[in-house]
Amino acid sequence: ELERQAYDYFRRIDELGGLPSESGTQRLLRHVAAIAALQDAAAVADALLSAALDLVPLGSALLARTTGAGGALRPSVAAGPLADVLRAAPLDSIGAWVEDGISLFTVGEHAAPPAANLAGLRAAGVETLVAVGLFAHGELLGALVLASDQPVAIGTDDVELLEQLATHGAACLRTAELMGSLRERAETDPLTGLGHHATFH
């Protein structure tokens, strides 16, 4: 009887169109919870890239990080068929946009402002580009860049989900890096840089 009722129940769900698909917000929350559980900065970066491609499936993504005193963006992790193109992207131009809190979003040949300097990306086959900044405590840690070789219309809601993911991801990156630094300090002698007796064992 229980099996029959279960069958009738699922048959009725199918008649009504099946189970509702996971919303963008639900996917974001799932990724946020998974990223928050990570302690290694490299794992956070990989998870952040995967989450971005799940939220806005453009096919390719790059996580660029700020380096040095000038805070220039440098490629960190990339995925997808346009990964090499994104690694060679004009990150200084993209960084200048996202540094002011602007999310750069282009579709089509003339959608990007001339100052964005995206002609090289277009020549390499990029038709759609989305870039959001990674900010933690008011500091730009990097940028999340997504791209497609097809003109894809991205809604404002999708860009906002990416911005929320970037905000959370930046905080997790900062925390993981600080924890790694503290762990290294706790395990090594500050004068020699060698591991303590307990660390050796």
Side-chain angles (χ1 to χ4, degrees):
E1 178 61 21
L2 186 60
E3 287 179 359
R4 186 189 65 75
Q5 288 181 2
Y7 174 78
D8 289 343
Y9 176 70
F10 285 110
R11 185 175 52 79
R12 181 63 180 144
I13 289 175
D14 286 339
E15 289 172 1
L16 294 173
L19 294 171
S21 61
E22 191 179 36
S23 71
T25 303
Q26 289 170 323
R27 288 200 313 276
L28 173 65
L29 291 174
R30 177 170 44 85
H31 287 298
V32 161
I35 292 171
L38 301 173
Q39 297 180 357
D40 178 61
V44 171
D46 289 339
L48 188 55
L49 214 60
S50 297
L53 286 171
D54 182 44
L55 292 174
V56 182
L58 291 181
S60 298
L62 167 77
L63 177 64
R65 297 295 309 275
T66 53
T67 58
L73 286 175
R74 296 290 177 257
S76 177
V77 184
L82 294 172
D84 291 335
V85 173
L86 292 176
R87 283 190 188 99
L91 295 177
D92 291 340
S93 297
I94 292 172
W97 280 88
V98 299
E99 191 173 25
D100 293 330
I102 298 171
S103 295
L104 179 64
F105 169 54
T106 69
V107 176
E109 190 172 344
H110 303 292
N117 191 23
L118 302 178
L121 286 175
R122 296 229 185 272
V126 174
E127 290 292 329
T128 304
L129 184 77
V130 179
V132 296
L134 299 172
F135 291 93
H137 303 290
E139 178 188 354
L140 180 67
L141 300 183
L144 192 56
V145 183
L146 280 74
S148 174
D149 59 1
Q150 301 295 320
V152 180
I154 306 296
T156 305
D157 290 346
D158 291 329
V159 175
E160 287 177 356
L161 285 176
L162 273 182
E163 290 171 345
Q164 292 172 15
L165 175 68
T167 299
H168 175 74
C172 289
L173 276 172
R174 168 60 66 83
T175 301
E177 288 172 348
L178 289 175
M179 290 299 293
S181 176
L182 289 173
R183 196 176 299 115
E184 184 178 338
R185 288 182 192 178
E187 293 174 350
T188 57
D189 179 78
L191 181 62
T192 64
L194 299 175
H196 290 307
H197 178 77
T199 305
F200 176 79
H201 285 286

